[in-house]
Each structure stands twice: as structure tokens, then as C-alpha cells.
Amino acid sequence: MDAEAWLAINSAAIAEGRWRKPVAASPADITFQEYAEDWLRRRELKPRTRAEYERLLALLMEGFAAKRIDAITPDVVRRWYESLDPTRPTRRAHQYDLLRTIMGTAGDEEIIDASPCRIRGAGKAKRARQIRPATLADLKVMTGALPERWRVLLQLASWCALRFGELTELRRMDVDLDNGVLRISRGVTWVHGEPIIGDPKSQAGVRDVSIPPHLVPDLEAHLARFVGPRRDALVFTAVGGPGHLNHGTFYKAFRHARAEAGREDLRYTTCVTPGP
């Protein structure tokens, strides 16, 4: 009788499209920590992205580690989200976005029926205030306040819209002054204090970028003064050595430069397009 009842229930589920393929372990046997760690191991990620996911996953574990994955309901997710610090909207959005991605995969793999992450807009951080981009006057003051070896870096960032990792992996062989072109094919990221050289974020990131004519003399002078003769010599380096310039070192100087311009609100990303 039990077997016939089981067959009737599953036959009805098949007919109604509710039947789910059995998995090696039932959701009752799988904790969020077990599934999430396995999920991360199976992802093909760049080192910087993996390190960031590991950091966010450690935060998620504080609320979900021991919970059965099928016990994480929309109400559980909502209460967890409401407990996060609202004064840190970016971190809260990134945590939610990773949780939604993991639980979405669990749904796709039929470990759970459906993702419980249903809070509209929770994966997007709202900027508290709009930052006014740097003007040409701001850029002039900041450039003059930077150490000489990094002045052209800020100019290229502003006029060519280049990422920090693209500029700090730029080498002499990538600079074509005759044709006024920078050849972008690599970038550097920092993972656990070590520089990791890799491809740009996307295939579209491999590109030639025109150097504005008014910057060519400054870049030529920079190459002659601060860059070694080897083809693979870095164009922008750390102080006192040939190694890669990291964010922390540059930002100490950048914070001073933006203060000189009276623009303490600026970040590197708001300097990439000078205003009128």
C-alpha cells in the first residue's frame, strides 16, 4: 500500500510537471555551507573575483552556514537582509547578490524548488549622493599635486578612460608614440597583497586607445625620465623600485591631490572623464 501511494503521488507530480529528479543527497542533508563551498569550487573565476567571493561568502556564513539549504525561505532571506547594516549599502547589495546567485544555481540544479531570494532591487546599491565629475580645473590642480612619476597616470586615466589595473600593467612596448596609440591587452589585480597579471575584464577590453595629442609630449618625457629601456619595463611603478604600483600607494598621493583641489569627494573613477 505504501508503494502504491508513493507511485500515485509521483505519477501525479510527473503529470503536473512537478516531479524532480532525485539527487545524491536530499536537501535535508545539505547545509548552505556545504553547497556554497562546493558552488565556489566549481566556478571558473579570475583570482581577484574568487578572492572577493570568498570574502563575501565568509559574511554569508554568519547567517546561513549551518542552515539546511531547503530551510532558507523567502522570509528567512528577508529577515537576514533587514538585519544588515543599512549604512553600508554596497556591501549589503553585494552579499545579497551572491546569495541570490548561489540559491539560483541550487534551484537550477533542482536541489531546491526555487530560489528564495525575491527582494526587488536588493542586489543594487543606491548611491547616497551623486558625485560631480572632476573638471579640467580640478584635474590641473590634482595633477600638479601628485608626485611627478604619477602625473601622466592621472592624465591618461582622465582622457583615455583607462582602468587603474590597465595603466599599472602598461609597458614600454604598449606605447606607440609615433601613431599616438596605447595598446591595452593586459591588466593587473592584487590578491592577498600579490600582483596578478591577466587579461582585461572582457574581450572588449583588448583594444587600442588613442592618446590625445596634447598628452603625447608629457608621456614622451615620462618615458625618458621614469621608464627603463627594456621593452617590458613598466610605465608606472611603485616608489623606489621596478614593481607594480598598487592602489594603496597611489591613493595616499591621490587623497592629498584631491584635497588640494578642494574635491575630497572624488574617487579615481570620477576622474576618468573631465567635465567642461
Side-chain angles (χ1 to χ4, degrees), residues 10-257:
N10 282 275
S11 295
I14 292 171
E16 296 171 8
R18 295 183 290 103
W19 185 81
R20 189 174 61 182
K21 180 181 178 181
V23 294
S26 70
D29 298 324
I30 302 174
T31 65
F32 175 80
Q33 181 172 0
E34 291 168 337
Y35 183 79
E37 289 178 347
D38 180 63
W39 177 91
L40 186 57
R41 279 193 296 270
R42 290 183 283 139
R43 303 274 84 75
E44 293 185 6
L45 303 169
K46 291 189 175 183
R48 177 72 177 273
T49 304
R50 182 171 295 277
E52 177 64 10
Y53 278 12
E54 289 172 349
R55 184 185 70 81
L56 291 171
L57 195 55
L59 295 173
L60 292 180
M61 292 304 178
E62 296 174 6
F64 298 105
K67 287 187 180 295
R68 294 197 331 261
I69 195 165
D70 66 333
I72 302 175
T73 63
D75 184 59
V76 169
V77 172
R78 189 173 297 106
R79 285 187 281 110
W80 162 79
Y81 181 77
E82 290 171 352
S83 74
L84 299 178
D85 186 354
T87 66
R88 307 193 69 175
T90 300
R91 188 171 82 163
R92 181 169 66 167
H94 288 174
Q95 287 184 68
Y96 178 85
D97 195 44
L98 181 59
L99 178 66
R100 179 177 59 188
T101 301
I102 293 171
M103 298 304 288
T105 305
D108 292 342
E109 295 178 342
E110 301 182 336
I111 302 298
I112 56 177
D113 290 325
S115 171
C117 300
R118 304 172 190 174
I119 305 174
R120 183 173 297 178
K124 298 180 180 179
K126 295 180 180 179
R127 179 171 287 178
R129 57 191 176 88
Q130 192 68 29
I131 298 177
R132 177 171 55 88
T135 65
L136 292 177
D138 294 334
L139 182 60
K140 182 177 180 180
V141 173
M142 288 189 294
T143 300
L146 285 172
E148 291 183 79
R149 64 172 53 246
W150 298 333
R151 290 177 181 176
V152 175
L153 185 152
L154 186 60
Q155 291 176 309
L156 291 175
S158 301
W159 289 99
C160 301
L162 295 172
R163 297 184 180 93
F164 186 80
E166 292 172 339
L167 281 166
T168 51
E169 171 49 23
L170 201 64
R171 298 173 186 266
R172 180 179 281 277
M173 62 186 176
D174 302 318
V175 181
D176 183 350
L177 292 177
D178 293 334
N179 295 300
V181 169
L182 299 176
R183 308 198 186 283
I184 307 301
S185 60
R186 301 173 310 282
V188 62
T189 58
W190 291 79
V191 179
H192 305 306
E194 295 294 327
I196 305 296
I197 301 169
D199 298 330
K201 278 193 170 184
S202 66
Q203 188 58 39
V206 178
R207 64 202 187 279
D208 288 351
V209 177
S210 296
I211 306 169
H214 72 280
L215 292 186
V216 171
D218 290 343
L219 182 53
E220 187 173 16
H222 175 89
L223 291 171
R225 185 175 178 187
F226 297 111
V227 182
R230 292 172 54 98
R231 281 174 45 79
D232 62 350
L234 289 168
V235 175
F236 302 106
T237 61
V239 176
H244 286 89
L245 172 64
N246 65 36
H247 295 80
T249 300
F250 176 77
Y251 264 72
K252 288 179 183 177
F254 180 74
R255 282 193 291 268
H256 167 73

